[in-house]
Amino acid sequence: MSVYGENEDQGKYWNEKPGRSWVLHDHEMNNRFQNISDILFASLDAPNLSNVLDIGCGAGATTLRMAKSLSGRGTVTGIDISDALLGLAREKASAVENVTFTWADAQSYQFEPAGFDGAFSRFGVMFFADPVKAFANLRAALVPRSKLVFVCWAPLQDNPFFLEPMEVVSRHTNAPVIAPGTAPGPMAFGNRDYLSDILQRAGYQATEIVTRQTTLDTRQSPQEDAALMMKIGAGARMLFEAEPSKAQVHSVQEDFVRLSAAKRSGGITRYPATIHVVTATA
Ligand SMILES: C[S@@+](CC[C@H](N)C(=O)[O-])C[C@H]1O[C@@H](n2cnc3c(N)ncnc32)[C@H](O)[C@@H]1O
């Protein structure tokens, strides 16, 4: 089995061009996700944790934030399938003692049983080929009755940050906007009933899903923001798959600039966003 375990497609995706784009734009993506990190950390009982797992930790922003909370009394492990993103995470954590990173597929990695007293994720758990198996594997890594807390995206129609760039791409390439359904990907857990059922089947004793509205904020200019949208996110992915002409690429980028400018006020562009904050008891 490759290092991507049972998640070969996502392993390739996050190690190849898209993953490398995330490495290049890590700082800006973290700015956009700042409000969401604050919501996630407010839901975590960090003062009472000592050995914590960050699932799909990417370039480690949330892992490092947890390391700071645990400083002097606990450690955090970030697991991710992307060596590219972990490379940056390790660089950022080089002077931090209470962090380790593991390059592995969280669905199939053999964790030490009941080794963690908490686990969390910012958008790192929606990509599993077999989510029931993955969440069961993660549950076995948790002390019984400890908590898994994560944030994931609510449905596409509640997230203009995803939907509007897709509509722009559709307008210019004629590619249809296809609802993502439950296939592995950012929107896989939009449906609360589907998500709740997965966690129940994975053996969690109780699950609470709270849907929250927030914003993704950036101080980047509309031109810079549009350039990022061309590289990361649902619009970028759809554009790549549409194999556009140069003229289409140009028109899409111009409309991304307009999209961003329309949401700008007082030097900040704010995209409304809706997330689920999920707490499950192992
Ligand atoms: C949207 S990114 C979020 C990264 C990070 N949590 C953050 O908020 O910056 C999704 C992450 O999940 C990771 N991932 C996807 N499938 C995975 C799997 N099966 N096992 C471990 N990590 C996975 C990807 O490599 C990527 O880093």
Side-chain angles (χ1 to χ4, degrees), residues 50-95:
S50 60
N51 193 13
V52 186
L53 180 67
D54 184 357
I55 308 151
C57 65
T62 49
T63 330
L64 286 167
R65 181 166 170 171
M66 178 55 81
K68 208 169 173 185
S69 304
L70 299 178
S71 184
R73 60 182 181 83
T75 58
V76 54
T77 301
I79 183 167
D80 202 283
I81 204 165
S82 171
D83 192 38
L85 282 157
L86 285 182
L88 178 56
R90 288 197 175 99
E91 220 175 281
K92 291 196 288 188
S94 60

Side-chain angles (χ1 to χ4, degrees), residues 85-114:
L85 282 157
L86 285 182
L88 178 56
R90 288 197 175 99
E91 220 175 281
K92 291 196 288 188
S94 60
V96 183
E97 281 183 358
N98 59 338
V99 178
T100 52
F101 292 104
T102 302
W103 179 26
D105 167 27
Q107 177 176 311
S108 49
Y109 182 70
Q110 293 203 343
F111 295 100
E112 183 193 328

Side-chain angles (χ1 to χ4, degrees), residues 3-4 6-8 10-11 13-15 19 22 26 29-30 33 37 40 54-63 79-83 85-86 92 102-109 120-129 134 151 153 186:
V3 70
Y4 306 147
E6 297 157 5
N7 282 282
E8 189 73 21
Q10 290 294 327
Y13 180 84
W14 291 103
N15 280 279
W22 276 78
D26 174 59
M29 291 311 288
N30 283 318
F33 290 162
S37 283
L40 172 64
D54 184 357
I55 308 151
C57 65
T62 49
T63 330
I79 183 167
D80 202 283
I81 204 165
S82 171
D83 192 38
L85 282 157
L86 285 182
K92 291 196 288 188
T102 302
W103 179 26
D105 167 27
Q107 177 176 311
S108 49
Y109 182 70
F120 71 104
S121 182
R122 185 182 75 177
F123 301 135
V125 293
M126 304 89 86
F127 305 92
F128 301 126
V151 288
W153 297 106

Side-chain angles (χ1 to χ4, degrees), residues 66-224:
M66 178 55 81
K68 208 169 173 185
S69 304
L70 299 178
S71 184
R73 60 182 181 83
T75 58
V76 54
T77 301
I79 183 167
D80 202 283
I81 204 165
S82 171
D83 192 38
L85 282 157
L86 285 182
L88 178 56
R90 288 197 175 99
E91 220 175 281
K92 291 196 288 188
S94 60
V96 183
E97 281 183 358
N98 59 338
V99 178
T100 52
F101 292 104
T102 302
W103 179 26
D105 167 27
Q107 177 176 311
S108 49
Y109 182 70
Q110 293 203 343
F111 295 100
E112 183 193 328
F116 296 103
D117 59 5
F120 71 104
S121 182
R122 185 182 75 177
F123 301 135
V125 293
M126 304 89 86
F127 305 92
F128 301 126
D130 185 341
V132 173
K133 182 173 175 188
F135 281 108
N137 191 40
L138 292 163
R139 186 176 58 79
L142 281 163
V143 170
R145 284 176 293 287
S146 62
K147 305 277 188 219
L148 162 69
V149 181
F150 64 87
V151 288
C152 60
W153 297 106
L156 184 62
Q157 64 270 21
D158 301 327
N159 279 299
F161 177 69
F162 284 89
L163 183 57
E164 292 180 1
M166 289 172 87
E167 287 171 342
V168 168
V169 174
S170 177
R171 219 165 35 241
H172 291 291
T173 64
N174 290 325
V177 174
I178 298 171
T182 57
M187 315 308 288
F189 294 158
N191 183 319
R192 295 165 52 110
D193 293 339
Y194 171 72
L195 174 55
S196 189
D197 182 59
I198 285 174
L199 291 166
Q200 195 184 351
R201 286 199 285 145
Y204 290 84
Q205 295 179 26
T207 302
E208 184 191 50
I209 304 177
V210 179
T211 301
R212 295 273 308 262
Q213 292 188 331
T214 179
T215 55
L216 304 188
D217 300 351
T218 177
R219 289 185 178 275
Q220 284 196 315
S221 70
Q223 286 73 18
E224 291 166 328

Side-chain angles (χ1 to χ4, degrees), residues 242-259:
E243 299 181 359
S245 67
K246 273 193 178 159
Q248 285 171 322
V249 170
H250 184 70
S251 310
V252 166
Q253 183 144 6
E254 280 189 340
D255 270 6
F256 281 177
V257 173
R258 286 190 198 101
L259 196 73

